Amino acid sequence: MRILLAEDDASIAAAVRSALQQGGHAVDHVTDGASADNALRDHDYDLLVLDLGLPQIDGSEVLSRARKRGANLPVLVVTAREGLKERVRVLDLGADDYLLKPFALAEFEARVRALLRRRASHGAPEFRIGRLRLDIPGHRAWIGESPLDLTAREFGLIEALATRADKVTSRAQLVEALCNWDEDLTDNGLDIALHRLRKKLQGSGTNVRTIRGLGYLLEETADA
């Protein structure tokens, strides 16, 4: 999944970004509120990790603007601002969770998993299509009861397709879901990853169908 990290403390940002990337997520990092606001306008994210004490525009204002625009992505606020009134204020603005600095990375990762699980599953414990089962936050996949071995890129592809399972996903959306701002994915690299994913999905009752000129669709097949 693609995550926006808005944090101006370099050491915290480095640790959090590393933990998220090791979890298989694409992470875009900004250090001020104006950049966070612009990123949320220009890109689709699955989660926002938001520090309140950002320069230029306060994190509270970034959150308020995003909700007023109708953005429904989950928001995990990480801040040094203590107090019940402050937590209530931020939650009322639209934050989904609130973590006080300093925090243990293990707790941070658990809260991220919980928020992403709710977003990915829409209340269901896992995503299913054909004989394919996905635990998206846990980065696990099965065909029936047999584990499906996927690389990080392959899982990123099927995750992007699964979270848009009712609509066509364009090549640009796949590239955006797989890459950080500072990484490139060539057309050839995307085609290779799609080819390998399709081979691994054989026998799952699931296929990635090409919709010429539009993109790709994850669909159930007749052998499900």
Side-chain angles (χ1 to χ4, degrees):
M1 291 194 171
R2 191 171 187 188
I3 297 173
L4 178 63
L5 169 63
E7 172 60 69
D8 66 330
D9 185 301
S11 60
I12 293 176
V16 166
R17 186 175 187 181
S18 177
L20 292 171
Q21 288 176 329
Q22 287 178 16
H25 304 294
V27 183
D28 296 338
H29 174 220
V30 295
T31 58
D32 63 80
S35 297
D37 188 50
N38 289 333
L40 290 168
R41 291 175 183 271
D42 295 339
H43 302 279
D44 291 327
Y45 291 99
D46 298 293
L47 174 69
L48 169 62
V49 178
L50 178 65
D51 177 31
L52 294 184
L54 294 172
Q56 296 190 32
I57 300 176
D58 187 77
S60 298
E61 179 62 20
V62 172
L63 175 58
S64 178
R65 291 184 185 185
R67 293 308 192 212
K68 286 178 181 177
R69 289 195 298 268
N72 63 358
L73 80 169
V75 177
L76 171 58
V77 166
V78 290
T79 181
R81 298 178 185 175
E82 298 187 54
L84 176 60
K85 287 185 178 180
E86 179 67 5
R87 291 199 300 274
V88 170
R89 182 184 72 85
V90 173
L91 291 170
D92 283 343
L93 282 175
D96 296 273
D97 200 357
Y98 187 104
L99 188 58
L100 193 64
K101 297 178 182 178
F103 52 83
L105 272 178
E107 181 181 3
F108 169 80
E109 290 169 333
R111 291 179 184 242
V112 166
R113 286 194 298 271
L115 289 173
L116 291 177
R117 184 175 296 111
R118 271 182 274 167
R119 179 173 176 82
S121 65
H122 305 289
E126 60 189 20
F127 175 86
R128 294 174 180 250
I129 183 170
R131 298 178 60 240
L132 175 68
R133 296 189 293 126
L134 296 176
D135 170 12
I136 292 177
H139 281 250
R140 298 181 297 170
W142 302 264
I143 296 177
E145 299 302 319
S146 301
L148 179 59
D149 184 22
L150 298 173
T151 66
R153 179 163 288 181
E154 290 163 355
F155 196 95
L157 277 176
I158 202 164
E159 174 188 306
L161 292 163
T163 54
R164 302 173 178 86
D166 59 341
K167 59 189 72 173
V168 175
T169 303
S170 69
R171 289 181 71 89
Q173 287 173 318
L174 288 180
V175 170
E176 186 172 15
L178 290 175
C179 293
N180 304 322
W181 285 339
D182 54 357
E183 294 179 351
D184 291 321
L185 178 65
T186 64
D187 277 349
N188 188 52
L190 179 59
D191 288 335
I192 290 171
L194 282 166
H195 173 72
R196 291 175 175 168
L197 176 61
R198 284 177 169 132
K199 288 186 67 175
K200 291 184 178 181
L201 289 177
Q202 290 176 0
S204 70
T206 310
N207 183 48
V208 180
R209 179 158 66 100
T210 300
I211 311 296
R212 192 173 298 278
L214 295 176
Y216 305 89
L217 183 67
L218 190 66
E219 64 177 6
E220 188 171 342
T221 59
D223 61 344

